[in-house]
Amino acid sequence: MKKCFPPHLLLNYRECQEDVMKNIQEKPLVSIIVPVYNVEKYLDRCIKSILNQDYYNIELLLIDDGSTDKSGDICDKYTVDSRVKVIHKKNSGMSMARNTGLKYMTGEYVAFVDSDDYISNDYISHPLAKMVAMQKDIIIFDYCEIKNGRIYEPRYKKNNVIQKISTAENEYIYNLLLAEDIPNSMWNKLYKNKLWEKVKFPEGRTYEDFFVWTDILRNKINIGYLPETLYYYNRENPNSITSPLGILKTKSRFDLFLARKERLDLINSLNLSELIRGKMLLRCIDEAVEDFLINSGGNNLTYDEKLELMDFIRQERKNPLYRKIHIGTKRAILAWGIVHIPKIIGFFGRHRYKRKMNKLKLRTSEDSMR
């Protein structure tokens, strides 16, 4: 047998990956949870990519969240594979669907896949090999984005910090997750089952991943990074909350603001570096300003929710750290205006919202004519 060096000494862990997998007496069961809602266009591709894994010992939990198209029927046809479990339920959102999957899963490890995305055939085997070899609770790996029929590397990979992760200490990766320098998505990661004994997805919220990651990061966890692209994130689904239309839905964006505000509170309580605190403060200010502008056109927030955005901006503008973050001239003027001349900024926000919606309608019309 080829000599296998300790994982922390390997420049390329693949040199011992095969040996690690052979030495697992009984390959552990891995649960893959897929919430499904009205994705008949993409669902076959997603399920086939999961069942074609080179790691066979998986259970696939398809949670049909009250789909009104053919998605439920598509799920049922795959039950000929004994590894597939289908649960049909009344529509109640992504969080409830994932929580249902967590309730019924039996695997020692768990992964999450969105039903409009797809994965590589080593999505489980490679992260699991590294997780076992390095005794980690979570393994993060890379992904690509699919847009306009093409595959792109996501923006975060162009950041220099990502190049340092493969040899980084646990604390470094932890801080990158806290500051969202590594995206806080659920699907480009493999988890140990035990992490989900006390953590659940917040029901009734969108951008639930951000809330959950704050809960995960409250605890001591060992995190590893695998520099391989194993997940393909679909940016072409018009019903996604990250689609151009989804981004203009104020209620969803307000949830993101609340999640980031909660993260900022956690970072402040941990007394972390000014750099990390500044990054999250900037993200919170950006989100508060954007939500105020979108709501000026979409008008989806209550008076108290709108007031919460304004109060947050007002308070944080007094924060000494606010003067040190690179907020940009335009954002700084808008933040000042929301506090001092909200009606004028609201007028600008309505005009901006209508312009964006008109562009979106034009783009949708052009796409339908092709």
Side-chain angles (χ1 to χ4, degrees):
M1 179 184 290
K2 179 175 58 181
K3 187 175 181 180
C4 182
F5 294 94
H8 67 280
L9 297 180
L10 290 174
L11 293 177
N12 184 352
Y13 91 99
R14 283 176 176 274
E15 292 177 20
C16 77
Q17 175 182 293
E18 184 177 347
D19 291 342
V20 170
M21 292 307 296
K22 284 181 179 178
N23 286 328
I24 297 177
Q25 293 290 333
E26 294 181 5
K27 292 185 177 181
L29 179 66
V30 179
S31 301
I32 303 176
I33 297 173
V34 182
V36 176
Y37 180 70
N38 289 357
V39 283
E40 61 181 7
K41 180 178 178 181
Y42 310 104
L43 188 54
D44 272 312
R45 179 181 67 180
C46 174
I47 296 175
K48 287 177 180 177
S49 73
I50 295 172
L51 296 179
N52 287 333
Q53 290 297 293
D54 59 14
Y55 187 91
Y56 186 81
N57 195 22
I58 63 173
E59 66 170 2
L60 171 57
L61 295 102
L62 298 171
I63 316 299
D64 174 28
D65 191 34
S67 296
T68 57
D69 63 1
K70 296 179 181 177
S71 295
D73 295 334
I74 293 172
C75 290
D76 288 337
K77 78 177 184 180
Y78 284 97
T79 55
V80 294
D81 189 318
S82 62
R83 299 174 297 169
V84 177
K85 300 177 182 178
V86 178
I87 300 172
H88 298 282
K89 57 184 291 297
K90 182 179 178 181
N91 178 252
S92 50
M94 175 77 83
S95 287
M96 180 73 87
R98 282 177 170 167
N99 286 338
T100 300
L102 290 170
K103 178 180 178 181
Y104 289 101
M105 72 173 182
T106 59
E108 187 177 342
Y109 301 89
V110 61
F112 300 91
V113 176
D114 285 356
S115 52
D116 52 352
D117 302 334
Y118 63 95
I119 58 178
S120 67
N121 67 351
D122 44 14
Y123 172 83
I124 295 299
S125 61
H126 288 191
L128 181 59
K130 185 156 189 173
M131 180 175 278
V132 172
M134 303 190 73
Q135 299 182 358
K136 298 294 185 181
D137 299 314
I138 299 173
I139 294 294
I140 302 168
F141 42 86
D142 291 332
Y143 67 93
C144 281
E145 297 181 352
I146 304 167
K147 190 175 181 181
N148 300 323
R150 298 178 61 186
I151 296 177
Y152 298 87
E153 282 195 342
R155 288 189 297 272
Y156 88 100
K157 290 187 69 175
K158 297 176 183 178
N159 191 332
N160 289 333
V161 298
I162 208 72
Q163 306 301 325
K164 304 175 184 177
I165 297 180
S166 56
T167 57
E169 296 292 332
N170 189 73
E171 184 178 359
Y172 181 77
I173 301 176
Y174 177 86
N175 288 342
L176 289 178
L177 283 163
L178 273 173
E180 292 182 34
D181 287 327
I182 297 177
N184 284 191
S185 52
M186 304 311 303
W187 32 253
N188 67 321
K189 301 165 183 76
L190 180 66
Y191 310 82
K192 279 189 176 179
N193 180 321
K194 68 176 185 179
L195 291 174
W196 300 96
E197 292 174 356
K198 296 182 179 179
V199 175
K200 292 294 181 286
F201 290 89
E203 296 171 7
R205 297 285 190 193
T206 54
Y207 286 97
E208 61 284 337
D209 296 10
F210 291 86
F211 289 98
V212 167
W213 264 103
T214 297
D215 288 339
I216 291 174
L217 293 169
R218 293 183 196 279
N219 305 307
K220 279 287 184 181
I221 48 176
N222 292 315
I223 312 171
Y225 170 71
L226 176 63
E228 294 185 25
T229 299
L230 305 178
Y231 194 93
Y232 295 86
Y233 173 42
N234 179 18
R235 298 296 298 268
E236 298 179 326
N237 183 358
N239 297 318
S240 169
I241 61 171
T242 57
S243 68
L245 180 59
I247 289 172
L248 291 176
K249 292 180 178 178
T250 327
K251 272 293 185 184
S252 296
R253 295 299 295 266
F254 185 71
D255 281 346
L256 180 56
F257 163 73
L258 293 177
R260 284 179 166 159
K261 185 172 177 288
E262 186 177 304
R263 179 68 57 82
L264 180 62
D265 291 340
L266 174 60
I267 289 173
N268 288 335
S269 71
L270 294 172
N271 197 27
L272 296 177
S273 70
E274 191 175 88
L275 176 63
I276 296 175
R277 288 186 287 117
K279 282 183 177 181
M280 188 49 61
L281 176 58
L282 178 59
R283 293 183 193 278
C284 286
I285 292 290
D286 275 348
E287 197 59 51
V289 170
E290 188 64 24
D291 290 359
F292 185 92
L293 294 174
I294 292 174
N295 182 65
S296 298
N299 199 30
N300 291 316
L301 297 182
T302 66
Y303 174 80
D304 287 342
E305 289 169 338
K306 185 177 178 181
L307 194 62
E308 185 171 354
L309 294 174
M310 297 173 67
D311 286 345
F312 175 81
I313 295 170
R314 181 181 295 108
Q315 290 299 321
E316 293 304 329
R317 287 187 73 251
K318 300 174 184 177
N319 186 339
L321 188 57
Y322 180 86
R323 299 180 179 85
K324 298 181 181 180
I325 59 177
H326 301 291
I327 191 171
T329 304
K330 183 177 179 180
R331 268 291 191 259
I333 293 172
L334 288 170
W336 177 89
I338 288 170
V339 173
H340 297 285
I341 47 172
K343 289 185 178 180
I344 294 177
I345 300 301
F347 177 80
F348 168 76
R350 286 191 293 276
H351 175 73
R352 177 176 176 266
Y353 180 86
K354 289 179 182 178
R355 187 174 72 248
K356 285 179 176 288
M357 288 297 292
N358 287 336
K359 281 186 178 180
L360 183 58
K361 290 177 183 177
L362 179 62
R363 188 188 311 167
T364 303
S365 177
E366 290 174 347
D367 290 342
S368 64
M369 294 175 63
R370 288 175 184 170

